[in-house]
Amino acid sequence: MKNTFTRRNFVQSGALFAAASAASSSLPMLAQQPSSATGAPSPIQLGLASYTFRNFSREQMIGFMKQLSVTDLNVKDTKDHLPMDPAEEAKALADYAAAGIKLHAAGTIYFAKDEDADIRSKFEYCKRAGISVIVAGDPTPETLPRVEKFVKEYDFRIAIHNHGPEDKLWHSPLDILKAVKNMDPRIGCCIDVGHTVRAGTDVVQAIHEVGPRLFDVHMKDLTNFQSKESQVAVGDGIMPVREIFEALIKTKYKGFVDLEYEVHGDDPMPGVISSFAYMRGVLAGMGYRSHG
């Protein structure tokens, strides 16, 4: 599977206009879209997975998001991003509200126990934050009926995250789909595109097959679909980004595409800036005006 929208196409199509218009200022501005951008509003909503900034505090991450012109966050209980403790969680929520950051999903959250009390605590954690999409890491098939009970009670969506060949249960979104196809329609997938291709699954086809059970997307790029260690900034690898966006639009996907940049944990901003600039450029090349 080859990414047909390469960085060379990106430059030649003029989609780097955003970056070019900001080149005279600071590097973080490379991720911003110019105010003169034309075209229809993008049907693809770009967000950030807070795990990208796992080595940084909430305050630092908020500063980075302002530089990136990103306001939508898939937040995780890592560092102090969104603590499970109610009092600490309330402080975090106040900080995000003050910064104009909206939380659209929480996770990855792990359901290690097939117990009502443990599962309820995770749902209450998200309820306090006003989050109705839970990106779930490891619910077993045996645990899913209990999770389903809470999905119905809270009217939340569970997006089970596939973790590739290393995952004992959920290699691919298609494995998840088989397990949940007869369950409540609010139980579905978070497609991690990197882990999906490493599992040998056509990610574009998977988007079409999962369809209305797709509730979140984690975006990354690889130079080798057999190597987890080959992750690079989005656009520097062979991930079919434009085709992924086209599939999401065709299936009328309403969720977010969250950048999850897992390399260079101590200095992620150059790759994060490049990734957002590229994704916004792809959307510009498709005739859309993206947020930011």
Side-chain angles (χ1 to χ4, degrees), residues 5-288:
F5 196 84
T6 64
R7 283 199 179 277
R8 178 169 295 181
N9 299 138
F10 182 68
V11 175
Q12 291 176 341
S13 70
L16 264 176
F17 178 67
S21 66
S24 61
S25 56
S26 59
L27 179 62
M29 291 294 291
L30 291 175
Q32 297 187 19
Q33 196 75 2
S35 59
S36 59
T38 59
S42 173
I44 300 295
Q45 302 179 92
L46 300 179
L48 175 75
S50 85
Y51 186 73
T52 297
F53 292 109
R54 59 198 173 278
N55 293 344
F56 295 86
S57 69
R58 177 172 71 245
E59 181 181 5
Q60 291 172 311
M61 179 173 65
I62 288 172
F64 291 143
M65 291 181 71
K66 288 180 178 179
Q67 293 179 52
L68 294 162
S69 291
V70 173
T71 58
D72 298 285
L73 187 65
N74 174 173
V75 69
K76 181 177 173 64
D77 178 25
T78 185
K79 279 285 188 181
D80 60 349
H81 294 181
L82 192 66
M84 295 289 291
D85 175 78
E88 293 301 317
E89 182 182 17
K91 293 178 185 177
L93 294 173
D95 287 344
Y96 290 130
I101 292 173
K102 295 166 284 187
L103 310 182
H104 61 267
T108 303
I109 293 176
Y110 292 89
F111 292 87
K113 300 177 182 179
D114 189 7
E115 298 174 1
D116 279 1
D118 183 70
I119 294 173
R120 185 177 294 279
S121 70
K122 311 293 173 58
F123 277 75
E124 284 292 322
Y125 165 68
C126 294
K127 181 180 178 180
R128 292 191 298 266
I131 296 170
S132 61
V133 175
I134 298 176
V135 178
D138 66 344
T140 65
E142 294 75 25
T143 306
L144 283 177
R146 192 183 299 270
V147 171
E148 183 179 32
K149 179 179 71 172
F150 287 95
V151 165
K152 293 175 179 178
E153 178 182 342
Y154 284 80
D155 190 23
F156 283 3
R157 286 173 290 168
I158 291 286
I160 302 174
H161 187 298
N162 63 294
H163 280 104
E166 301 85 7
D167 195 320
K168 294 180 180 178
L169 292 170
W170 314 119
H171 309 292
S172 158
L174 303 184
D175 298 315
I176 298 166
L177 189 61
K178 290 175 187 176
V180 306
K181 63 183 179 181
N182 295 320
M183 302 188 78
D184 189 285
R186 290 165 290 192
I187 301 178
C189 299
C190 168
I191 291 184
D192 183 299
V193 301
H195 296 321
T196 298
V197 296
R198 289 194 307 107
T201 299
D202 184 319
V203 66
V204 172
Q205 181 182 343
I207 289 168
H208 284 283
E209 291 195 35
V210 173
R213 286 189 186 262
L214 179 57
F215 305 139
D216 198 37
V217 174
H218 283 183
M219 176 63 73
K220 51 177 61 86
D221 204 346
L222 304 168
T223 60
N224 181 341
F225 284 173
Q226 284 71 52
S227 173
K228 185 177 182 179
E229 288 69 36
S230 73
Q231 188 179 156
V232 291
V234 177
D236 284 345
I238 56 175
M239 191 65 65
V241 177
R242 181 174 180 133
E243 289 85 349
I244 287 171
F245 286 171
E246 289 172 341
L248 293 172
I249 293 168
K250 190 168 184 179
T251 57
K252 296 179 170 58
Y253 174 66
K254 301 300 183 185
F256 283 83
V257 174
D258 294 320
L259 177 68
E260 188 177 41
Y261 187 65
E262 297 178 315
V263 293
H264 307 299
D266 292 330
D267 184 26
M269 272 298 273
V272 172
I273 289 167
S274 179
S275 295
F276 274 109
Y278 181 79
M279 289 189 289
R280 287 167 174 162
V282 170
L283 292 170
M286 295 168 69
Y288 296 115

